[in-house]
Amino acid sequence: MRRENYDVVVIGSGIGGMCAAALMSQGSYKTLVVERLPQLGGRFSTIEYKGFKLPTGATVVEMGGVVEQIFREVGAEFEPRLIPSAYCRIGGKDYELPQKGQLRTLISIASGNEKKSEKVMNALRRGLAWQEPSDRISLHDWLLQYTQDEKILRIFWGLSTAMLGVDDHELPAGEFFRYLKAPRSPEGGIAPRGNLSMMESLAKVVRANNAQIWTCCQAKQILVADGVARRVIIQKDKDEVEITAKVVISNTGPKDTVELAGKENFDKGYLKQLRETLRPVPVIFIQTASDRPLVEYPTLILPQARRVNLVICPTLVCPELAPRGKHLLISYGTPKSVLPPYNFEKEIGLNIQDLKDNFPEFDRCGEILMASCFYGDWPGFRTMPGCDLPQKTPIENLYNVGDGVKPPGWTGLPSCAQSARIVAEDVKQRFKLRG
């Protein structure tokens, strides 16, 4: 068996893994990234199909937040093109959302009653400024204390499902407030050459720092001795390679990390937390082609639909993502519950019906390119808000990054990038390079 030495091994090349690798390699740590698939990115990558550049998960990239900060910091090209405005459809009418005060605007439009709106807003202000609600109550039940207005309640359903992936009946109330308080930019953008191009920009930086990226290579085992992660066994072509490393960073999700390192090496409390806490969030993802845009705006929130909560028309911002004269509509939908059992055939049908109801030309002009159900080992989110594990594992020098270990209140791509920053800073504190 061939043997090699590295300071850091990163397993998985999603946005969390690649941000961690870029930060470590920039700090002169000898770094290896191992990816089992032929291309980088995981749920933030690109598939070429019928001339379209289709995302494999996330579509919108936060601009001005931690993702862009890491790209700029390590010297990677950050190319997303700004989305001008977001819109929300209420009562069949579309409203442009301001960059500030979006929640107040939505509540006011939905209720049409200033007194009702103010009662909810006062409760929100108290929760943000004084004491956030308990996680032992759902956001929906918390809201019922202040309003019975179904239109207002649907606004919160739309926001919680679109931004956090979870129905307001299942979202812990406190976690919604932590989301509102978490640092984030109100602006988003779309990568004109597809998400894969962004991951390749990070890869370019990693390789320029004399680090290695191995694709089509499977991490088979993390070897642990005396409670410390020491080595990683990797299947590379037809051979196995044993990598000795000071640090192992896993971007495969906490569950797979445990399988790689062996349950017998983990604290029983951690395993219990993993079993009882980790709740992967399913998402229905439909991508539709058309000869002309099916929606007038790049992003539209649909709080009054059955399942679809958000639609994105990236070609209104980046026409190069589709063949000339074609457009792409991407919709995200949340099943009624994040918990199994699921009936995905029924869920896809409800999502398609929402698209037909909201976009009259969908039946006549739309061609569904791909209808995907993100769940299980390839979920929309690795766990629901408030159910995250820590980045550190009980095994010394073994970390997780990604949206299964996100900081409180964070979500999506920023949560993965922030987990990578937290881990990279901890590694740099614990392992100082000589000279």
Side-chain angles (χ1 to χ4, degrees):
M1 183 184 294
R2 193 168 92 242
R3 290 173 172 81
E4 297 187 17
N5 294 309
Y6 287 86
D7 295 321
V8 179
V9 174
V10 179
I11 303 173
S13 70
I15 187 71
M18 288 304 294
C19 283
L23 290 167
M24 297 313 307
S25 66
Q26 189 205 35
S28 299
Y29 291 82
K30 187 180 179 184
T31 303
L32 169 66
V33 179
V34 182
E35 170 56 55
R36 65 181 177 85
L37 297 176
Q39 68 180 36
L40 305 176
R43 291 168 294 155
F44 186 60
S45 193
T46 305
I47 297 172
E48 299 271 354
Y49 183 65
K50 291 188 175 182
F52 291 85
K53 290 182 170 63
L54 304 179
T56 58
T59 302
V60 176
V61 182
E62 181 189 51
M63 302 187 72
V66 65
V67 176
E68 182 172 358
Q69 290 165 11
I70 290 176
F71 270 71
R72 303 291 187 199
E73 181 180 328
V74 302
E77 182 182 3
F78 186 80
E79 62 178 9
R81 199 171 291 161
L82 181 67
I83 298 171
S85 296
Y87 286 76
C88 185
R89 182 166 294 175
I90 301 174
K93 186 176 179 182
D94 298 338
Y95 297 89
E96 184 177 1
L97 300 180
Q99 284 197 356
K100 293 184 178 180
Q102 288 186 0
L103 191 52
R104 170 183 278 280
T105 299
L106 288 172
I107 293 171
S108 178
I109 293 169
S111 69
N113 183 308
E114 194 60 34
K115 188 175 181 180
K116 286 183 179 181
S117 300
E118 199 57 33
K119 185 176 181 180
V120 175
M121 286 304 303
N122 284 337
L124 287 167
R125 277 193 290 267
R126 283 194 300 273
L128 290 169
W130 175 242
Q131 178 64 43
E132 67 188 32
S134 169
D135 281 339
R136 295 183 178 273
I137 188 173
S138 71
L139 174 61
H140 183 81
D141 287 343
W142 180 84
L143 285 165
L144 289 178
Q145 301 173 102
Y146 307 103
T147 184
Q148 303 290 321
D149 190 320
E150 185 61 28
K151 291 180 180 178
I152 293 178
L153 295 173
R154 290 300 291 183
I155 291 296
F156 284 89
W157 173 88
L159 291 176
S160 62
T161 53
M163 306 308 171
L164 296 162
V166 183
D167 188 294
D168 59 326
H169 289 79
E170 295 181 311
L171 179 67
E175 190 64 19
F176 182 74
F177 281 78
R178 288 188 284 277
Y179 165 76
L180 293 178
K181 289 190 284 187
R184 65 176 46 83
S185 168
E187 296 182 330
I190 293 169
R193 295 183 295 145
N195 297 336
L196 179 58
S197 68
M198 292 189 62
M199 304 308 287
E200 289 174 339
S201 293
L202 284 176
K204 184 178 179 181
V205 167
V206 170
R207 292 188 177 105
N209 291 326
N210 297 315
Q212 296 290 314
I213 299 174
W214 295 353
T215 56
C216 297
C217 291
Q218 179 80 47
K220 304 291 286 186
Q221 188 179 5
I222 298 169
L223 299 177
V224 179
D226 300 321
V228 181
R230 303 286 189 184
R231 297 184 298 281
V232 182
I233 304 297
I234 297 166
Q235 186 73 42
K236 190 174 191 290
D237 300 322
K238 295 181 180 180
D239 300 320
E240 286 190 346
V241 184
E242 182 179 283
I243 305 295
T244 299
K246 297 182 178 70
V247 172
V248 180
I249 299 173
S250 175
N251 190 208
T252 66
K255 181 181 174 182
D256 285 350
T257 302
V258 168
E259 293 299 322
L260 284 169
K263 292 181 181 179
E264 68 277 7
N265 292 305
F266 286 82
D267 176 81
K268 289 183 179 179
Y270 183 86
L271 294 176
K272 187 172 188 288
Q273 186 180 6
L274 180 72
R275 289 193 306 271
E276 297 179 357
T277 301
L278 210 64
R279 294 286 182 269
V281 175
V283 170
I284 310 299
F285 187 49
I286 297 176
Q287 306 194 61
T288 304
S290 60
D291 292 332
R292 55 179 176 271
L294 296 175
V295 63
E296 298 176 48
Y297 331 105
T299 58
L300 177 65
I301 299 171
L302 297 174
Q304 296 173 332
R306 297 173 185 83
R307 292 290 192 271
V308 173
N309 47 62
L310 176 67
V311 295
I312 300 168
C313 187
T315 47
L316 288 175
V317 178
C318 302
E320 52 267 63
L321 294 174
R324 184 180 296 275
K326 294 284 188 178
H327 282 273
L328 181 62
L329 183 76
I330 300 171
S331 70
Y332 294 86
T334 302
K336 189 168 182 61
S337 174
V338 299
L339 302 175
Y342 310 117
N343 184 339
F344 285 120
E345 183 177 354
K346 177 182 177 182
E347 293 295 339
I348 289 174
L350 290 171
N351 277 258
I352 292 173
Q353 191 59 52
D354 276 341
L355 295 173
K356 291 179 178 179
D357 291 347
N358 279 277
F359 308 108
E361 295 193 336
F362 183 88
D363 257 342
R364 188 168 64 86
C365 301
E367 175 196 356
I368 295 178
L369 299 173
M370 194 172 296
S372 308
C373 302
F374 287 61
Y375 71 104
D377 292 335
W378 195 273
F381 300 91
R382 289 211 181 273
T383 192
M384 63 183 291
C387 296
D388 301 273
L389 273 71
Q391 290 89 31
K392 286 183 178 179
T393 74
I395 296 174
E396 192 174 342
N397 302 340
L398 175 59
Y399 298 85
N400 280 305
V401 294
D403 58 351
V405 293
K406 57 188 178 293
W410 291 71
T411 188
L413 294 177
S415 73
C416 299
Q418 181 66 7
S419 72
R421 183 181 288 286
I422 291 169
V423 168
E425 289 176 354
D426 191 75
V427 172
K428 290 175 182 178
Q429 285 295 318
R430 296 182 64 243
F431 297 96
K432 304 287 186 182
L433 294 178
R434 294 180 182 177

